[in-house]
Amino acid sequence: MKARLPQGYGGGGAANLQQLARQAQKMQEQMEAVTAELEAKEYTATSGGDAVKAVVTGKMEVKSIEIKPEVIDPEDAEMLGDLVTAAVNEALRAAAQEKEERMGALSGGMNLPGMF
């Protein structure tokens, strides 16, 4: 007795693999373009009522930190450190969130290890 596959399955296996490979190549090219675009972008966040401003790149690198002179208190260096940390972390979160959203949209929500 011979097993039969439902219509639309089987046959054309090589053609299906070629089509899948083309789709994967196209998705990879789109992801590379989005990655390059995001890496060139800058993200800014502030803390302490705009007392500290941090700017990071899409490469997750700190580009600059601006501190208003009035928040520099030699007696409370810890507070200034906390403000800097909060601003940098928020800017990095914004960069990571946009990357996740953009890549998720390209991959259709598929979790593709090693792609991003």
Side-chain angles (χ1 to χ4, degrees):
M1 179 178 226
K2 208 173 190 186
R4 293 180 50 192
L5 293 172
Q7 186 174 353
Y9 288 92
N16 287 342
L17 284 177
Q18 288 177 342
Q19 181 180 5
L20 185 60
R22 281 192 299 271
Q23 288 173 339
Q25 178 68 30
K26 182 179 177 184
M27 184 187 307
Q28 183 176 5
E29 290 169 0
Q30 289 173 330
M31 287 182 162
E32 288 171 0
V34 168
T35 297
E37 177 187 336
L38 291 173
E39 285 180 351
K41 201 168 178 182
E42 292 181 359
Y43 301 84
T44 303
T46 62
S47 66
D50 293 339
V52 174
K53 179 170 103 173
V55 178
V56 301
T57 68
K59 291 182 180 182
M60 306 298 179
E61 297 173 343
V62 177
K63 183 173 182 180
S64 68
I65 295 180
E66 294 177 21
I67 302 171
K68 290 190 176 178
E70 58 267 19
V71 296
I72 300 173
D73 179 1
E75 301 296 319
D76 196 3
E78 185 178 339
M79 186 253 331
L80 181 56
D82 291 344
L83 291 174
V84 170
T85 300
V88 169
N89 284 336
E90 184 56 35
L92 289 171
R93 261 192 294 280
Q97 181 179 350
E98 182 173 1
K99 183 174 185 176
E100 185 177 320
E101 289 171 1
R102 299 275 305 270
M103 292 300 186
L106 278 178
S107 68
M110 292 186 304
N111 184 7
L112 303 172
M115 290 295 280
F116 53 93

